[in-house]
Amino acid sequence: MDIDNDHRVLSIQSHVVSGYCGNKSAVFPLQTLGFDVDFINSVQFSTHTGYPRWTGQVLNEQDIFELIDGLRHNNLLCKYTHLLSGYARSASFLEAMHSAIKEIKSVAPNVVYLCDPVLGDDGRMYVPHELLSVYKEKIIPLADIICPNQFEAELLSGIKITGMKTALEAIDYLHSLGIKTVVISSTETGFDDTNEQLMTIGSSQLPGANNQDRQLCKLVIPRIPSRFTGTGDLFAALFLAWFTKTKFDLKITMENVTATLNSIIRRTYEYANNKPNGLELPFNRELRIIQSRDDILEPKIQNSAELI
């Protein structure tokens, strides 16, 4: 493992006191894989919002400006090699995040920025609609890598994904905005009539391990019959780590990421099924990330990515 490399990530996304999503899903896997992680919590909630009741605070634009100002005055902004962003709750916060990312890119020109454009899922937005235009016009053009789910890719591209052809059209549109690596983390529509599989589709214009000009891969995994919060945040963090460690080999990265994610979800599913009230309780469905440290360090590849 390349633990001697000086990889330092600034992760800007949500935080929960109890459970796993946002930075709680991202920080431990990144640290386990040898990355130093600094993090700004866009919100701090008691739990994720899938619980019957949740409380907490929302960071505003002035808060992030103050935090960035403190890092700036201590000459720390130039130390970052990677940026990661996820859930934000307001357009004004996204605007402030845009300014921060632009500044970091100006003082650390080789920084790699992965944007997980958290907008919604299952055909429904769960952030205010005005965030979409800020993502499209300001945040996405700064990104080197994006990891939307199918619904988010449709929102960002304006293309309804009904199969592989339209998925590739959406990916090509996002490439046209200047994004070198586009990964649709999960697709559900038009690929599997039995609804028992999920597909990840990735495209990278960065030269990978074999120095090919463009890498285009798909990977199919079995669907586990339940919903788990924080899997997208975990996917993005794992992708950022493995894409770096494999020197931009998209195929190996996708295999490692999905293997780890699948192991964690299966462990969580089995744990929940052995608890009172099973999968009905949100607490039982919290990702078993800490218990999966070995799977994070050494993923057990069971599903191979296929070059398209």
Side-chain angles (χ1 to χ4, degrees):
M1 183 184 298
D2 55 349
I3 57 174
D4 293 330
N5 286 334
D6 192 16
H7 298 313
R8 182 172 292 274
V9 184
L10 177 61
S11 178
I12 306 174
Q13 50 187 318
S14 62
H15 171 80
V16 289
V17 175
S18 178
Y20 289 92
C21 68
N23 277 324
K24 284 285 289 286
S25 282
V27 173
F28 177 78
L30 283 166
Q31 291 173 330
T32 299
L33 290 168
F35 290 70
D36 272 313
V37 188
D38 296 343
F39 49 94
I40 294 175
N41 298 323
S42 58
V43 302
Q44 176 172 261
F45 290 159
S46 54
T47 63
H48 66 69
T49 57
Y51 280 76
R53 174 176 167 77
W54 48 272
T55 57
Q57 301 81 38
V58 177
L59 216 66
N60 62 36
E61 60 272 25
Q62 186 57 41
D63 295 326
I64 191 172
F65 282 139
E66 288 182 7
L67 293 171
I68 294 297
D69 187 55
L71 295 172
R72 179 191 305 115
H73 282 287
N74 287 294
N75 197 34
L76 294 173
L77 295 180
C78 62
K79 305 295 186 185
Y80 294 113
T81 58
H82 298 76
L83 298 172
L84 174 62
S85 70
Y87 179 85
R89 196 169 173 83
S90 71
S92 59
F93 182 88
L94 271 188
E95 297 271 7
M97 190 177 81
H98 167 260
S99 297
I101 292 169
K102 277 187 68 176
E103 180 176 356
I104 292 170
K105 283 203 153 203
S106 71
V107 298
N110 294 322
V111 72
V112 175
Y113 171 36
L114 187 153
C115 173
D116 179 12
V118 179
L119 292 163
D121 203 357
D122 296 326
R124 180 178 67 89
M125 289 186 69
Y126 43 64
V127 297
H129 194 272
E130 58 264 27
L131 268 66
L132 178 57
S133 62
V134 182
Y135 270 113
K136 291 175 71 172
E137 296 167 15
K138 295 192 173 183
I139 302 296
I140 293 298
L142 292 176
D144 302 291
I145 308 165
I146 62 169
C147 293
N149 60 35
Q150 178 179 326
F151 178 62
E152 291 159 347
E154 291 173 341
L155 288 174
L156 294 170
S157 67
I159 296 170
K160 179 68 175 176
I161 297 174
T162 56
M164 182 60 72
K165 180 177 181 293
T166 47
L168 295 179
E169 288 173 358
I171 286 172
D172 286 342
Y173 173 82
L174 294 169
H175 276 314
S176 76
L177 301 180
I179 306 160
K180 295 296 185 184
T181 302
V182 179
V183 182
I184 303 180
S185 59
S186 62
T187 60
E188 302 186 29
T189 303
F191 298 100
D192 172 38
D193 293 336
T194 65
N195 204 34
E196 294 179 354
Q197 294 178 324
L198 295 173
M199 182 184 292
T200 299
I201 306 171
S203 174
S204 180
Q205 296 174 345
L206 295 174
N210 298 319
N211 293 319
Q212 62 267 49
D213 292 334
R214 167 158 164 168
Q215 305 166 82
L216 189 59
C217 302
K218 66 178 182 179
L219 193 154
V220 176
I221 59 172
R223 179 197 297 271
I224 296 174
S226 187
R227 290 283 182 176
F228 302 92
T229 300
T231 54
D233 310 318
L234 177 59
F235 182 101
L238 291 170
F239 190 93
L240 185 61
W242 282 111
F243 205 46
T244 301
K245 291 165 69 63
T246 62
K247 296 179 169 52
F248 313 122
D249 189 311
L250 182 63
K251 182 178 187 295
I252 296 176
T253 296
M254 286 172 58
E255 289 171 347
N256 282 326
V257 170
T258 54
T260 301
L261 195 61
N262 201 40
S263 295
I264 293 173
I265 293 174
R266 284 193 177 279
R267 180 173 286 108
T268 305
Y269 181 74
E270 291 167 3
Y271 172 85
N273 274 324
N274 287 318
K275 290 293 181 180
N277 298 310
L279 292 161
E280 294 180 10
L281 286 184
F283 179 79
N284 291 344
R285 288 184 275 110
E286 294 287 3
L287 294 175
R288 305 289 286 172
I289 291 178
I290 305 303
Q291 296 78 6
S292 303
R293 178 181 177 275
D294 291 345
D295 293 309
I296 295 169
L297 276 171
E298 296 183 7
K300 300 173 182 63
I301 309 299
Q302 295 183 336
N303 301 281
S304 297
E306 177 185 339
L307 296 175
I308 301 174

